[in-house]
Amino acid sequence: MTRLVDNPDDFPSQAVAGFASAFPGHVRPVFGGVVRAARTHRKVALVVGGGSGHYPAFAGWVGPGFADGAVCGNIFSSPSASQAYSVCKAADRGAGVLIGFGNYAGDVLHFGQAAERLRSEGIDARCLLVTDDIASAQDHLARRGIAGDLPVFKVTAAACEEGRDIDEVVRVFNRVNDRTRSFGVAFAGCTLPGGDEPLFRVKPHHMGVGMGIHGEPGIHDEALGTADEVAAMLVDGLLADRPENAGTRVVPIVNGLGSTKYEELFVLWNDMCCRLEAAGLTIVDPQVGEFVTSLDMAGVSLTLVWLDDVIEPLWLAACDTPAFRRGVIGQVELDTTALPQTAEHVSVVHPGSRASQETADAIVTALEAVAVRLAECSSELGRLDSVAGDGDHGIGMTRGSQAALAEARRVREDGAGAATTLNAAGSAWSEHAGGTSGALWGAALTAFGAALGDDDPADDHIIRHATRAALDAVTSLGGAKVGDKTMIDAMDPFVTTLESSSDQLPQAWESACHSAGVAAQATSEMTARVGRARPLGKKSLGTPDPGAVSFHEVVVAVGSVLSK
Amino acid sequence: MTRLVDNPDDFPSQAVAGFASAFPGHVRPVFGGVVRAARTHRKVALVVGGGSGHYPAFAGWVGPGFADGAVCGNIFSSPSASQAYSVCKAADRGAGVLIGFGNYAGDVLHFGQAAERLRSEGIDARCLLVTDDIASAQDHLARRGIAGDLPVFKVTAAACEEGRDIDEVVRVFNRVNDRTRSFGVAFAGCTLPGGDEPLFRVKPHHMGVGMGIHGEPGIHDEALGTADEVAAMLVDGLLADRPENAGTRVVPIVNGLGSTKYEELFVLWNDMCCRLEAAGLTIVDPQVGEFVTSLDMAGVSLTLVWLDDVIEPLWLAACDTPAFRRGVIGQVELDTTALPQTAEHVSVVHPGSRASQETADAIVTALEAVAVRLAECSSELGRLDSVAGDGDHGIGMTRGSQAALAEARRVREDGAGAATTLNAAGSAWSEHAGGTSGALWGAALTAFGAALGDDDPADDHIIRHATRAALDAVTSLGGAKVGDKTMIDAMDPFVTTLESSSDQLPQAWESACHSAGVAAQATSEMTARVGRARPLGKKSLGTPDPGAVSFHEVVVAVGSVLSK
């Protein structure tokens, strides 16, 4: 379990600060993460990232020959778009920015938003999704990213370092991502900072086959045999999933997840090595150690990179980072330009009209009610979330709504109108809540605000229109439909009822709340049934997330303000 | 816990084989451990070592600029003298060999024997004991070695690499060992390969202050506070134990023991860094990561190296090893000379006289009886040992006696007399049993054999004299006296009774066994009392080791052969 903690809320930022202070020759802190300490020539920049808790991934790979920057989210939670934007801006070397990350919903959302904003500023920014985990989907490009992050980013970074243009680098990325495949097992879950219970449990003497690096459910559990039996399963699984034109030269990467230690990894590698050679493969530059961890989770994965003439020299090229070094990087000059350390520079207050400022006052009042209500039901939301997810929904919603309120108050004092207030609130919510729901609520608030604008007074019609805009934003970002057991199940009937009602807004809002409440109730009941049936610590696929319940709480809280 | 295991007995050797296969550019396997893969110029060689289970210590530090070889013992058990001798021979660069290790009894014994043998062959071999753990004793030179191994070995190795002569290197070692101090805490114990229970437990939300890297008891347990409180305790403890003329420049090394992970170490370092700076110290080149682990034990230590003009440049000098790299080591040429992979070359059979060969036959018969008897009481010896130690006494004695028997048979077939047979048996016992008792039994058999010689027939008088020689060897190696609750408590009265008896040998031996049995009985009873009283998994100081019990079993088994 995680024991060395000051304040669990500050754990990820303290870890980044400590990391940057331990490696001043390699990295410099910037709001949202770290960038290279070394001055770097004009080139395509590679920024990598994702949630924290996976060190050396991702910050441990920043330095000459490897990444230009790393975005560091909360533990196991996607960074916010503004964190990603901030690191990318600082890492930009004038020839485009590639943002590399494992294929997880929250990362796709937030890094996508950051890339969008960079492009709006004229920077050619693109997202690169690593998809190496063969256990997570049939289609290679639909898979999630695990320890394959290391070789895929390393090879892509080496192509950037050679000065290739962005289209060429993207082609290299696609090639190495296609030829990198991983397969893993878990023996025991890790405990989040401040937590007392592991995220999941595996029966003693068993292993979760194909389990993800945050404890996502695997294909199945099976009895744990000898090291050689584990070696056989992982090697055979990967050999059965060779890419096209695989060839016979492979880089094997044996990755310990945290508390499966070096001596065990060497024993396992000893067995794997024999099996790979028996399969007629030539082993090139094997890697055995900890590369993509999951706090102190027990488990191991094997990655195979199927080399070709393009990939092999890029993999072997020199680099010098805190956690991965090879070859010789000459003396570097340290970059001493100032870097922003807070989110301030991301938000710029545009003054609203008098009428819109009045709407903004009402928005602040509504956000107060929302923050109070979400804090009240935080543990209940956490309990519901622990059945299907990682139990942080209550904490995330509370943090998000409180940050949104603080930011709304701040910009409102600076004269903001409705759109600017909600945009600032949305960014803060997304950043502080973390996770997918943080991104979705951020997008909802921003879209709602955009529909209100900073000039016109808000009338009933505009507000109805704004709720539809918020729904569209959530649907388009999150991709969920009604029936997928997400917040959309409550939000869609809410918006439809509000639009179709001929009542005045407060009454119409109440009816709409009732529609949302039906979905919320269904979610709670379904979760309770699954919750009672599931084995201890075992996650259940198909269980609703509590998004419908928290959505209902939010709109009821807003309704209490509207009816005054 | 340790889960990736084929056969627990082969775990350490498989781990070394896998390690060597993962780092072919850095190390080459040799009987007993690994040596540098790079061809190396004439210089003082530094060989480091100790038990396995501490990776990157010690094998991870072999390579240009750092160690010339590493001796790899069983998990948490000292390597045998022949393993140490073999690695030192392969690592010798013609200017003397320094053997560096943490100050543990088994290591002192075995490395001392190896150094003795090297010196007898004209190689200037010396032992260097690291003593950094301030919690283990008041007198710095009486302390045990923990994570301070890293800087002490690194600095010493850099002095070797510069081509300094052996006396100068020893002076550098003494200097850096004096100026390196560590202090640690443990949160949870690790589980040995093949085991089901951790070596020790710490109460939830508590920490064992000053606990050793094999779970040796600490100063006391206390409640686990925040990371900053842990930082304060470790920093304050080390500041209160500064060496003379400490100065103000320090290298801090924050070491994770295995499952206390990187993010936690960075959070802790963030707090420590502030405290060290507040104390007016200048931080040079901090190290935060895993350096000296203890399988998957949870815990952390802080080491401070108090720099001076001699130490600082040596610490910062370039090196390139599997687990520790800095600066630039140019291209190296690989050494391709053949290296011995078995113990064969260590033992050379000297033919005995016909009479001595008959004595050797009787010795083989006696060793058969001993091996059978120790296998029968293996679990009982393990149970007794688990009260005071790590529970491996039964396994160790069984392995040792079986290996001794096999080796005695082998050399007897090649014509060996009594001395050569017992010498081979002693080496095998020491090597395969591991631990302190393995070394003591090895020394006892060798001394007994030396008294018999390879020429003369063995009469009653010579055998009585030989038992006294064995006792002297054990006393001189182990340093224990009667009353220290070790095997000496049984061995001393056994030898005294045998010497003073005027009976024929078989009867005298029986009386002597009776004297040994009294001590064995006392040990069992004392252990049972402590065993009932101790808290779960908590080791008890002052509890007898079961050496008196196993000694009694051995002499009774030998007596059964004598009386035939």
Side-chain angles (χ1 to χ4, degrees), chain A residues 238-395:
Chain A
L238 289 176
L239 294 186
D241 194 276
R242 288 177 215 227
E244 269 183 66
N245 305 315
T248 59
R249 292 175 71 76
V250 291
V251 174
I253 300 172
V254 183
N255 177 55
L257 269 297
S259 66
T260 298
K261 298 311 300 180
Y262 305 104
E263 287 79 4
E264 294 179 85
L265 299 178
F266 291 133
V267 165
L268 184 67
W269 165 244
N270 198 46
D271 292 326
M272 287 174 162
C273 180
C274 298
R275 291 181 172 276
L276 291 168
E277 283 173 348
L281 299 180
T282 303
I283 292 166
V284 179
D285 188 43
Q287 301 290 319
V288 182
E290 295 183 340
F291 304 105
V292 179
T293 61
S294 181
L295 293 175
D296 64 331
M297 172 171 155
V300 67
S301 65
L302 174 65
T303 299
L304 291 182
V305 188
W306 298 85
L307 296 174
D308 63 15
D309 293 350
V310 172
I311 296 170
E312 186 161 344
L314 293 169
W315 168 250
L316 295 174
C319 69
D320 181 9
T321 73
F324 198 78
R325 291 183 61 180
R326 53 167 73 251
V328 175
I329 294 281
Q331 209 55 37
V332 298
E333 200 184 334
L334 293 189
D335 192 341
T336 53
T337 52
L339 289 175
Q341 301 300 326
T342 67
E344 301 295 320
H345 70 296
V346 176
S347 143
V348 179
V349 177
H350 168 79
S353 72
R354 184 80 209 117
S356 189
Q357 287 176 345
E358 277 171 23
T359 308
D361 288 337
I363 288 167
V364 169
T365 308
L367 285 172
E368 280 165 359
V370 168
V372 167
R373 181 60 198 142
L374 287 174
E376 283 167 6
C377 59
S378 173
S379 11
E380 172 61 10
L381 292 173
R383 198 190 57 73
L384 290 172
D385 187 38
S386 69
V387 175
D390 45 14
D392 65 356
H393 186 68
I395 295 170

Side-chain angles (χ1 to χ4, degrees), chain B residues 35-343:
Chain B
V35 293
R36 279 194 203 178
R39 190 163 294 171
T40 302
H41 58 89
R42 180 187 158 89
K43 65 184 263 295
V44 175
L46 175 66
V47 171
V48 297
S52 293
H54 303 300
Y55 191 87
F58 302 93
W61 300 335
V62 174
F66 212 148
D68 294 278
V71 193
C72 307
N74 281 335
I75 297 289
F76 298 169
S77 287
S78 164
S80 70
S82 60
Q83 288 180 307
Y85 169 78
S86 165
V87 174
C88 290
K89 282 288 276 189
D92 177 25
R93 311 291 176 209
V97 176
L98 294 172
I99 317 181
F101 51 90
N103 182 20
Y104 296 91
D107 291 327
V108 173
L109 283 177
H110 289 127
F111 289 125
Q113 290 170 0
E116 187 65 50
R117 173 147 178 199
L118 290 163
R119 282 194 295 271
S120 76
E121 296 175 10
I123 296 171
D124 189 352
R126 311 190 195 172
C127 290
L128 305 175
L129 279 64
V130 180
T131 59
D132 58 307
D133 182 3
I134 66 165
S136 58
Q138 273 300 318
D139 172 13
H140 188 62
L141 293 179
R143 291 168 171 171
R144 64 193 171 200
I146 56 172
D149 285 343
L150 171 70
V152 173
F153 293 153
K154 168 65 179 72
V155 166
T156 305
C160 295
E161 207 77 19
E162 285 184 349
R164 303 194 195 189
D165 73 28
I166 194 164
D167 290 323
E168 253 186 286
V169 176
V170 170
R171 278 195 294 275
V172 167
F173 168 85
N174 288 332
R175 189 175 192 125
V176 65
N177 184 55
D178 178 53
R179 297 174 75 86
T180 299
R181 315 271 168 132
S182 304
F183 190 21
V185 292
F187 310 123
C190 57
T191 309
L192 295 181
D196 259 339
E197 287 294 317
L199 280 185
F200 64 91
R201 292 179 199 276
V202 179
K203 269 197 298 183
H205 304 292
H206 278 67
M207 56 186 172
V209 176
M211 195 165 255
I213 56 173
H214 317 94
E216 299 92 338
I219 304 169
H220 60 280
D221 282 8
E222 64 181 62
L224 172 61
T226 62
D228 192 41
E229 284 163 3
V230 174
M233 188 188 65
L234 297 182
V235 166
D236 292 349
L238 289 176
L239 294 185
D241 193 276
R242 288 177 216 226
E244 268 184 66
N245 306 315
T248 59
R249 295 175 68 77
V250 290
V251 174
I253 300 172
V254 183
N255 177 55
L257 270 295
S259 65
T260 298
K261 297 312 300 180
Y262 306 103
E263 286 80 2
E264 294 180 86
L265 299 178
F266 292 134
V267 164
L268 183 68
W269 165 242
N270 198 47
D271 293 324
M272 286 175 164
C273 180
C274 298
R275 291 182 172 275
L276 291 169
E277 282 173 348
L281 300 180
T282 303
I283 292 166
V284 179
D285 187 43
Q287 302 290 319
V288 183
E290 295 182 340
F291 305 105
V292 179
T293 62
S294 181
L295 293 175
D296 64 330
M297 171 171 155
V300 68
S301 66
L302 174 65
T303 299
L304 291 181
V305 188
W306 298 86
L307 296 174
D308 63 16
D309 293 350
V310 172
I311 296 171
E312 187 162 343
L314 293 170
W315 168 250
L316 295 174
C319 68
D320 181 8
T321 74
F324 198 77
R325 291 184 60 180
R326 52 168 71 249
V328 175
I329 293 282
Q331 208 56 37
V332 298
E333 199 184 335
L334 294 189
D335 193 340
T336 53
T337 52
L339 289 175
Q341 300 302 325
T342 66

